Amino acid sequence: MRTPLIAGNWKMNGSAEKIRAFGEAFAGARLPGTLEVVVMPPFPYLAEAQRAFAGTPLAAGAQTLNPEPAGAHTGEVSASMLAEFGVTHVLVGHSERRQQGETDEQVYRQACAALDADLVPVLCVGETLEQRNAGATREVILRQVAAVLEPLEPARRERLVIAYEPVWAIGTGLTATPDEAQAAMGAIRGWLEALNSDLAAGLRLLYGGSMKAGNAAELLARPDIDGGLIGGASLQVDEFFAICQSAG
Ligand code: PEP
């Protein structure tokens, strides 16, 4: 059985007050079974998240990291800095960053740095609308998965989470249908199966792209969808809580 995971990517949104409101709303919350819930605010709010989420089911995550341990990298944050502020999960390869030039090679190095610091890298993969229309969805997402998974030592692969996020569905209100999401995520599971069947059985796959309370249950019911990466809908505590309730 794979533990479901719901992660909220706040992007460049939120405030210290919103962090506290989430901590209060989730304190003592009854969530389904062993569900894991991660909120990923901007870097400056991680210290507040560490305080506000203590004693709640919420964990704090980050949206990216620099793979270098330290040095002259103005504006960047390392894996060990994230770990120092109680971060447990970190996104690598989000499409909004790939669009700004982040390469598969950089994403691989970020994943390695995260693993070295005992963080769970959430590897984001997904095709653009152009690539989907050209029939290249499978090729694109499997290339992005392989670029990180293949060079990793086998024992480290199982600590990753993969988020399938069709680029055309992120922040657009367009959601992949459950059939479309399952087809892409089934392809990822199939690729993992060819690598190692235990890895395929245990590795969690999240769907991301305009997931909300109204469509979460239908998506999460599909066999290869083990959770969600939520952007816009993770900013409203009631909506995010309702999505978590669907993940039982
Ligand atoms: C995201 O940014 O990862 C995302 C899924 O955003 P949204 O839910 O707003 O589409």
Side-chain angles (χ1 to χ4, degrees):
M1 256 312 269
R2 296 184 288 269
T3 304
L5 170 64
I6 296 291
N9 171 16
W10 282 12
K11 312 192 189 195
M12 200 171 70
N13 296 297
S15 62
E17 195 184 335
K18 195 181 268 291
I19 294 281
R20 288 191 287 275
F22 269 62
E24 279 161 27
F26 276 79
R30 282 186 160 270
L31 293 174
T34 55
L35 174 69
E36 280 178 27
V37 187
V38 182
V39 171
M40 300 165 156
F43 292 142
Y45 302 131
L46 289 172
E48 190 63 37
Q50 198 174 26
R51 283 189 288 272
F53 297 170
T56 79
L58 295 178
Q63 301 171 18
T64 188
L65 80 169
N66 186 290
E68 297 300 328
H73 302 287
T74 303
E76 299 289 295
V77 170
S78 73
S80 63
M81 292 170 186
L82 297 178
E84 195 177 343
F85 282 92
V87 164
T88 54
H89 296 65
V90 58
L91 300 181
V92 297
H94 191 280
S95 66
E96 287 160 11
R97 299 193 61 84
R98 290 185 191 262
Q99 278 162 357
Q100 289 172 27
E102 220 163 70
T103 63
D104 280 338
E105 163 65 18
Q106 285 168 322
V107 175
Y108 166 70
R109 292 182 57 233
Q110 290 172 324
C112 291
L115 290 168
D116 288 345
D118 274 336
L119 307 178
V120 175
V122 179
L123 167 64
C124 303
V125 302
E127 81 288 1
T128 63
L129 189 56
E130 215 177 19
Q131 290 165 332
R132 171 164 283 262
N133 290 340
T137 298
R138 194 187 157 88
E139 177 197 325
V140 169
I141 61 179
L142 296 186
R143 188 206 74 226
Q144 292 171 335
V145 168
V148 173
L149 272 279
E150 267 175 357
L152 265 189
E153 298 90 330
R156 277 154 63 97
R157 291 174 179 150
E158 66 196 30
R159 291 169 47 206
L160 256 82
V161 171
I162 298 176
Y164 168 62
E165 300 204 295
V167 178
W168 49 271
I170 295 181
T172 58
L174 297 173
T175 312
T177 64
D179 283 351
E180 287 170 332
Q182 172 56 36
M185 295 167 77
I188 296 173
R189 188 88 63 200
W191 184 91
L192 294 170
E193 178 76 36
L195 199 62
N196 178 306
S197 57
D198 288 343
L199 178 71
L203 199 139
R204 289 176 294 176
L205 303 183
L206 313 183
Y207 169 78
S210 299
M211 191 187 258
K212 46 187 181 283
N215 60 23
E218 210 189 352
L219 285 157
L220 293 168
R222 294 304 170 116
D224 287 309
I225 307 185
D226 307 311
L229 177 56
I230 330 291
S234 71
L235 288 164
Q236 296 149 31
V237 72
D238 292 348
E239 182 81 9
F240 190 59
F241 192 76
I243 295 170
C244 293
Q245 295 299 337
S246 309

